[in-house]
Amino acid sequence: MALLSETPLLKDIAAWTTAGRLTRARFGGALALWLAVMMAGFAAAWLGLRSGASPMLGGGLIAIGLWFAVCATARRLHDMSHSGFWAILVFALFPIGFIPLLITESRAGENAWGENPKGLLKINDPRLLRRLTENAREGSVMHEVGSRDSEEKK
């Protein structure tokens, strides 16, 4: 049985690092995770203050939730081919700043932060694209791309 931290979904969502790229769907999962952790932190801090105990547990959970948010936001920005430092602007415009991260498609191909997590390729060579579309079987996506390109040239 694989450990929870070794499952691909949790490795992406609960990442402690800003390295790499993160898709829109997994970014949404990461947002849900850090919101849940932060809400638990606020509840623990409030209960600690109400009972006269130390609110340290709540503060720790809030800090962990914020770190999840920073890491996920930086990785999502990397997927869009932007520096993670843009996360400062995203958090400054909270919650509106997260909307572009949730609706913008990943950049195709590899960038400075790694390969596309969806496996999308960017084909810049028209000769390669033509060869791929010519050999594509009828009804496939590549065949449709080739048909559309040949109609646009006419």
Side-chain angles (χ1 to χ4, degrees):
M1 184 173 117
L3 295 173
L4 285 179
S5 63
E6 293 177 3
T7 59
L9 178 64
L10 287 180
K11 245 163 96 173
D12 278 346
I13 290 177
W16 294 94
T17 178
T18 59
R21 296 171 69 170
L22 196 62
T23 63
R24 288 182 293 180
R26 297 215 170 154
F27 178 68
L31 285 180
L33 175 67
W34 73 260
L35 282 174
V37 169
M38 286 184 60
M39 294 304 284
F42 283 121
W46 183 76
L47 289 173
L49 288 174
R50 296 272 299 166
S51 66
S54 173
M56 289 295 291
L57 173 65
L61 287 174
I62 292 168
I64 290 170
L66 283 173
W67 185 250
F68 276 142
V70 168
C71 290
T73 303
R75 292 178 70 206
R76 180 68 192 124
L77 286 163
H78 292 168
D79 193 44
M80 298 164 51
S81 294
H82 297 298
S83 170
F85 286 110
W86 283 99
I88 296 168
L89 182 62
V90 170
F91 283 99
L93 297 174
F94 182 83
I96 296 168
F98 286 98
I99 294 172
L101 301 179
L102 292 168
I103 62 173
T104 305
E105 182 66 42
S106 300
R107 297 286 180 181
E110 187 175 341
N111 66 17
W113 295 278
E115 293 181 21
N116 189 306
K118 289 182 175 180
L120 298 175
L121 296 175
K122 189 175 194 176
I123 301 175
N124 291 331
D125 185 3
R127 294 174 298 177
L128 175 61
L129 182 60
R130 185 174 52 248
R131 195 168 63 193
L132 288 172
T133 56
E134 286 173 355
N135 296 329
R137 62 187 160 85
E138 192 79 27
S140 69
V141 174
M142 248 333 184
H143 185 266
E144 291 177 20
V145 168
S147 300
R148 187 176 52 222
D149 285 347
S150 64
E151 288 175 9
E152 288 176 3
K153 289 179 182 178
K154 290 181 182 180

